[in-house]
């Protein structure tokens, strides 16, 4: 029997910074509203023609993760790729990463669990490593959302929140069963599927049909979010799934050295921080500079936290996410 552990981390952000003032040139919004409701000061958007995309940013984050893990691309046994903004409708972005990195014919799985995608990916990798089937698994979260946002006033509630970027981890075997990923906890509730979604194009509403109609009133191909319902569900589910992980491992909230929440909204993270009685240095937030990068947010934050030595060996670390589906999850890690 093995545990799995995170052996190396990496992240990549596109260069182009979009401030709240930049957004106010495009839509009726302002820095004060955005900072007060979301805590976001700026985010990154891919520059057209730069070569950055969901898979290529995933490759850059992965190269850093491999270097930090001290292994070669050829050592990877499985790729798990989490995104809500794949390069193509099909195939998934995992196979594109495999080809770009020249990783033989290893399997590649795409995970479509949006903001919870990275934790679902970690859980999938953990199962394959624990059973002994694979030794080294590359888990990537990467998002190119900026091109699909409604950047007019009509889309402002959603568009100010999201940003582009990628994070990756190399997961490998841990023989000490008191270390590494101790447990993962996954949930979903499909009755709220429409409340945070982008439903077009879809198999009842194919792209040629959309082009034929060319209907400027058709909003199905822009993300939709019922912000208040998402907020209420997020704070409840985040708390539940963190408690589930703590209970499973007989940890108290006071044992947590670092909570890395999905960077949904700074107000959600602060609510969770208060609920668990954590100090500022026990919760890692970088949404202020990158916005919400959905499946990429946790691996980017985790990679930065390790780089800054905010997480070190021996720490008790909790990852938690909530997002579209609704889906949510946590991972309990003895670092
Ligand atoms: N700039 C300026 N004004 C705006 C903007 C904007 N970007 N967006 C909306 N408004 C206006 C509205 O039009 C409305 O104006 P009105 O009172 O004149 O009608 C007013 O602000 C309040 O609008 P609400 O939609 O009620 O705003 P709310 O207070 O709910 O805040 C928000 C919206 C920030 C989205 C909030 O609901 C929230 O935090 N929800 C959680 C959702 C979230 O964070 N999701 C993250 C992505 S999903 C995930 O990762 C899980």
């Amino acid at each position: 029997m093995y545990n799995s552990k995170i052996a190396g981390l990496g992240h990549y952000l596109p260069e182009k910074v979009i401030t709240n003032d930049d957004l106010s040139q495009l839509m009726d919004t302002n820095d004060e509203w955005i900072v007060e409701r979301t805590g976001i000061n700026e985010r990154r958007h891919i520059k057209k023609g730069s070569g950055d995309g969901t898979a290529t940013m995933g490759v850059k984050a992965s190269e850093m993760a491999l270097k930090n893990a001290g292994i070669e691309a050829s050592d990877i046994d499985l790729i798990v790729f989490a995104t809500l903004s794949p390069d193509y409708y099909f195939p998934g972005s995992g196979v594109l990463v495999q080809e770009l990195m020249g990783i033989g014919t290893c399997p590649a799985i795409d995970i479509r669990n949006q903001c919870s995608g990275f934790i679902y990916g970690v859980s999938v990798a953990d199962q394959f490593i624990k059973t002994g089937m694979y030794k080294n698994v590359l888990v990537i979260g990467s998002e190119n959302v900026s091109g699909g946002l409604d950047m007019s006033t009509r889309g402002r509630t959603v568009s100010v929140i999201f940003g582009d970027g990628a994070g990756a981890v190399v997961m490998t075997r841990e023989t000490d069963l008191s270390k590494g990923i101790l447990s993962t906890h996954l949930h979903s509730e499909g009755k709220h599927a429409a409340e945070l979604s982008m439903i077009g194009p879809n198999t009842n509403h194919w792209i040629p049909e959309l082009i034929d109609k060319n209907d400027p009133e058709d909003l199905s191909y822009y993300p939709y979010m019922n912000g208040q319902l998402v907020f209420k569900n997020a704070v409840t589910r985040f708390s539940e799934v963190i408690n589930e992980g703590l209970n499973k491992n007989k940890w108290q909230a006071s044992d947590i050295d670092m909570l890395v929440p999905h960077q949904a909204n700074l107000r959600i993270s602060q609510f969770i921080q208060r609920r668990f009685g954590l100090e500022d240095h026990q919760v890692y937030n970088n949404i202020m500079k990158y916005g919400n990068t959905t499946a990429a947010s946790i691996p980017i934050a985790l990679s930065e936290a390790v780089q800054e030595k905010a997480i070190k060996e021996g720490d008790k670390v909790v990852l938690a996410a909530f997002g579209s589906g609704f889906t949510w999850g946590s991972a309990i890690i003895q670092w």
Side-chain angles (χ1 to χ4, degrees), residues 27-30 33-34 37-38 115 156-157 160-162 196 225-228 230-231 234 262-265 268 292 294 322-324:
M27 60 184 84
D28 181 10
T29 191
N30 57 76
W33 192 98
I34 299 171
R37 311 285 173 119
T38 71
C115 301
R156 63 183 178 175
T157 315
V160 300
I161 293 178
F162 294 97
L196 183 54
M225 177 175 72
N226 178 341
Q228 287 170 14
V230 169
F231 196 101
H262 160 52
Q263 306 289 297
N265 180 324
I268 294 177
N292 177 336
T294 56
F322 173 86
S324 161

Side-chain angles (χ1 to χ4, degrees), residues 97 109 173 205 216:
V97 167
I109 302 173
R173 283 177 186 164
H205 202 186

